Amino acid sequence: SLFDSPEERYLKARQSVQRFTVTQFGKCCSGAENNLPRYLVHSYNFFLFPSTLGVTDVEFNLSASSIQFLSHYGFDYNKFLKDGIPYMNEVQEKILSQHLLTGSWEVSSALDRDMLKKAVDEVTSWITAAEEEETMILQDLSGYQMFEVQLVLRQALQNVWTQPLGDKKVMVKKVSPQCRRLLENSPYDYCQKELILLSARGFTNLFQALVKAKKPLVGHNMLMDLMHLHDKFYKPLPESYNEFKTNIHNLFPVLIDTKTVTKSIWKKYLFPRVSNIFEVYAVLCSSNLNPKDPPGPVIALASDCSRYADKKSPHEAGYDAFLCGSVLLKSAHLLLCRSTDDAVEADPSFSQYLTVLAEYLNKVNFIRGGVSSINFSGKDAPCQYPPLLVVHVQGWPGLNERQIYQEFKALCRFDVRRLSKNQFILLASKFKHVRLVLRDYKHHPHLRISVYRHWRHSPLVNCLLQVSGIVALWSLLAFVLGGAPCCSF
């Protein structure tokens, strides 16, 4: 809604982010190749799946329309469900760490519980007749089962030791209590707490490396992306909008939203108004966009990422990341060429691009709301929208916000909020829509429309006026009655 403040929108989006998971993460990084004047791009596509190690068992929703959308673009659900890289945030990691420290190991997955029961039955049947130093092999273990079967066996049986053999196998050895204590303190123990946490963190290790690098983080319409990064890999989203902004700025001091940049280009230069990252990329690659400007930066995909050079893969995260980085460089080049009267050198440096992008840094696009962008390094600047309109309903009882919206939908688009029983507020993003409605509804039999005036239409102001009127009336009565002449008998 256009009425949404950043705080209101954040709380709405927070509910969505908490209900859904991240299925794919795209990362694209680039650098100069042997000092040549071009950007060599490495683009990566990661399938993710929430960590299920220990008591962690994340629940998330699936949207039927989203599944249909991803299936249409060839999303590989097998990779997501079977081979997705695990991840966890700091709160989940702390819980797992405490369970590892106390030895209170539990398994949340029903599939893993069945596997563990079978493994424990096999080992307990074998160990009664086994001699010390004798071994057996457990097979067909996958993923976290390699850790879980060892932790459960060590917890249940004090005279066994375990060691992974690779290829989904774990060796179980019968040992004496003294040997067990020595092995537990050995640096070669594959079930050390640090190694288990490293594996359980999975993709979060890469996220932490990105945070540590402090490089500019680039995205397109990236508010929801930032919220997912915070919630899935850092900490659960806080209730406070300002705390969220502070946390993101501490994690990524330099943010660049290409949607914010390209919106500015639409306004400043003759740039087509296109809706998504694919159309933006196509326009910026067009040869007739800026024929007089020096050629833009050369962007080349590395040999191990050449698939995206030969085939478009829309809505695949790695491909989207490549487009996003390309749009940033091409937009910055266009801004650099148009922002100065001096000739632009043939191969501008990235620092020159950052300079021309300075006014857009840390400003993330805000779709249809009370601000045009969220400023992660300062206060959010309000949008300059057309004046509000007030709809006063006469002779049309029971009218609600949805019906008011439908009434104006055919003519133009307004967002609607109820002001009082018979009054509604309309807010549009375009001045021409306000003029159109004021003109066409001038003689409507049931709807009287006027420009909103705070002193006249605000419920708070009306309440204060009513209270003031009552106080004034009582004061007048008291004055009249108090000033009446006294009669004596």
Side-chain angles (χ1 to χ4, degrees):
S1 170
L2 290 170
F3 290 102
D4 284 350
S5 67
E7 291 84 357
E8 290 171 325
R9 181 70 59 78
Y10 169 74
L11 291 176
K12 290 180 181 179
R14 179 175 177 262
Q15 294 179 1
S16 174
V17 169
Q18 290 172 328
R19 290 167 50 218
F20 292 91
T21 189
V22 176
T23 58
Q24 239 182 19
F25 187 99
K27 177 184 178 294
C28 188
C29 52
S30 64
E33 182 189 21
N34 299 325
N35 296 321
L36 294 176
R38 69 172 183 169
Y39 291 86
L40 184 65
V41 174
H42 297 265
S43 191
Y44 302 94
N45 194 53
F46 303 90
F47 285 86
L48 306 181
F49 194 82
S51 176
T52 58
L53 184 60
V55 295
T56 304
D57 191 11
V58 176
E59 295 183 0
F60 56 85
N61 291 357
L62 291 173
S63 164
S65 60
S66 296
I67 293 173
Q68 186 183 44
F69 177 86
L70 292 174
S71 298
H72 175 75
Y73 286 101
F75 183 80
D76 191 336
Y77 283 97
N78 279 329
K79 279 194 174 184
F80 161 57
L81 295 169
K82 296 176 67 175
D83 302 322
I85 303 169
Y87 62 85
M88 59 174 50
N89 60 36
E90 290 182 4
V91 172
Q92 294 165 332
E93 181 180 346
K94 185 177 180 180
I95 294 171
L96 176 60
S97 179
Q98 288 173 342
H99 282 276
L100 288 171
L101 195 62
T102 59
S104 54
W105 190 257
E106 298 178 19
V107 178
S108 59
S109 166
L111 178 65
D112 290 347
R113 282 197 296 270
D114 292 342
M115 176 278 301
L116 288 169
K117 185 179 184 303
K118 179 183 176 184
V120 170
D121 289 345
E122 284 184 34
V123 174
T124 50
S125 298
W126 162 80
I127 202 169
T128 53
E131 300 289 336
E132 280 192 15
E133 300 299 314
E134 195 172 334
T135 63
M136 70 170 291
I137 305 296
L138 296 174
Q139 303 190 51
D140 297 325
L141 304 172
S142 60
Y144 286 135
Q145 293 177 353
M146 298 283 288
F147 282 123
E148 290 176 328
V149 72
Q150 295 181 76
L151 291 168
V152 169
L153 286 172
R154 292 185 189 185
Q155 183 177 314
L157 303 169
Q158 297 302 310
N159 58 341
V160 302
W161 187 247
T162 61
Q163 183 175 334
L165 297 179
D167 195 27
K168 301 183 179 182
K169 297 178 182 178
V170 167
M171 181 195 72
V172 182
K173 179 189 286 188
K174 185 174 182 179
V175 296
S176 66
Q178 297 85 354
C179 181
R180 166 74 178 257
R181 285 193 292 273
L182 289 173
L183 290 169
E184 284 176 343
N185 296 318
S186 166
Y188 303 105
D189 180 9
Y190 292 96
C191 281
Q192 292 178 56
K193 174 186 170 183
E194 292 75 14
L195 293 176
I196 294 175
L197 288 175
L198 182 70
S199 177
R201 279 196 300 267
F203 186 82
T204 306
N205 294 307
L206 177 57
F207 170 79
Q208 291 169 347
L210 293 175
V211 170
K212 188 177 180 180
K214 300 299 180 187
K215 299 291 184 182
L217 183 69
V218 183
H220 188 81
N221 235 349
M222 63 194 297
L223 176 58
M224 293 294 285
D225 298 324
L226 293 172
M227 293 181 71
H228 275 292
L229 288 176
H230 190 298
D231 189 67
K232 304 304 187 291
F233 311 123
Y234 177 51
K235 293 178 180 178
L237 285 168
E239 291 186 11
S240 166
Y241 164 71
N242 287 323
E243 184 181 346
F244 162 70
K245 282 179 59 174
T246 300
N247 290 347
I248 289 295
H249 189 55
N250 290 335
L251 292 170
F252 303 105
V254 181
L255 299 171
I256 308 175
D257 189 340
T258 51
K259 181 69 174 182
T260 301
V261 177
T262 52
K263 276 172 65 175
S264 174
I265 295 176
W266 295 340
K267 296 173 183 176
K268 289 184 178 180
Y269 310 114
L270 296 176
F271 188 85
R273 286 179 175 267
V274 287
S275 60
N276 59 51
I277 189 70
F278 314 105
E279 294 173 342
V280 173
Y281 177 72
V283 169
L284 286 169
C285 290
S286 173
S287 58
N288 58 5
L289 177 65
N290 51 348
K292 296 181 180 179
D293 294 334
V298 177
I299 303 170
L301 282 155
S303 57
D304 55 347
C305 307
S306 58
R307 180 167 66 93
Y308 292 148
D310 303 326
K311 178 186 176 184
K312 295 179 181 179
S313 303
H315 303 293
E316 185 171 289
Y319 182 72
D320 287 0
F322 163 66
L323 293 186
C324 190
S326 301
V327 164
L328 173 75
L329 290 171
K330 292 178 179 294
S331 299
H333 185 79
L334 181 61
L335 286 169
L336 184 64
C337 293
R338 303 295 175 88
S339 63
T340 177
D341 295 330
D342 300 327
V344 176
E345 59 186 74
D347 301 304
S349 65
F350 186 69
S351 61
Q352 289 177 279
Y353 287 150
L354 276 181
T355 300
V356 80
L357 291 168
E359 64 179 293
Y360 311 109
L361 300 185
N362 296 320
K363 294 178 181 177
V364 171
N365 185 56
F366 191 76
I367 304 173
R368 288 182 59 80
V371 298
S372 60
S373 62
I374 292 177
N375 186 357
F376 279 86
S377 56
K379 291 185 177 181
D380 303 327
C383 275
Q384 299 300 316
Y385 282 129
L388 295 169
L389 296 181
V390 175
V391 179
H392 186 82
V393 182
Q394 296 174 318
W396 198 346
L399 208 62
N400 58 35
E401 292 175 339
R402 170 60 60 181
Q403 290 168 313
I404 288 287
Y405 177 81
Q406 293 296 331
E407 171 69 24
F408 294 101
K409 183 179 178 182
L411 185 63
C412 50
R413 186 175 177 185
F414 281 86
D415 285 352
V416 183
R417 276 192 178 176
R418 184 182 288 275
L419 182 63
S420 65
K421 182 180 179 180
N422 296 317
Q423 289 183 320
F424 298 86
I425 294 179
L426 305 182
L427 178 58
S429 59
K430 297 180 180 179
F431 283 88
K432 66 179 182 180
H433 290 169
V434 171
R435 293 192 295 266
L436 195 62
V437 167
L438 287 173
R439 184 195 70 192
D440 288 13
Y441 279 78
K442 191 172 183 179
H443 302 292
H444 195 279
H446 301 295
L447 304 178
R448 192 174 75 246
I449 301 176
S450 60
V451 175
Y452 177 87
R453 305 297 182 193
H454 184 72
W455 59 268
R456 181 181 174 188
H457 298 109
S458 169
L460 180 59
V461 172
N462 287 333
C463 181
L464 289 173
L465 289 174
Q466 289 174 9
V467 171
S468 300
I470 293 171
V471 170
L473 179 61
W474 278 105
S475 299
L476 180 61
L477 287 172
F479 175 76
V480 170
L481 295 175
C486 296
C487 296
S488 58
F489 297 93

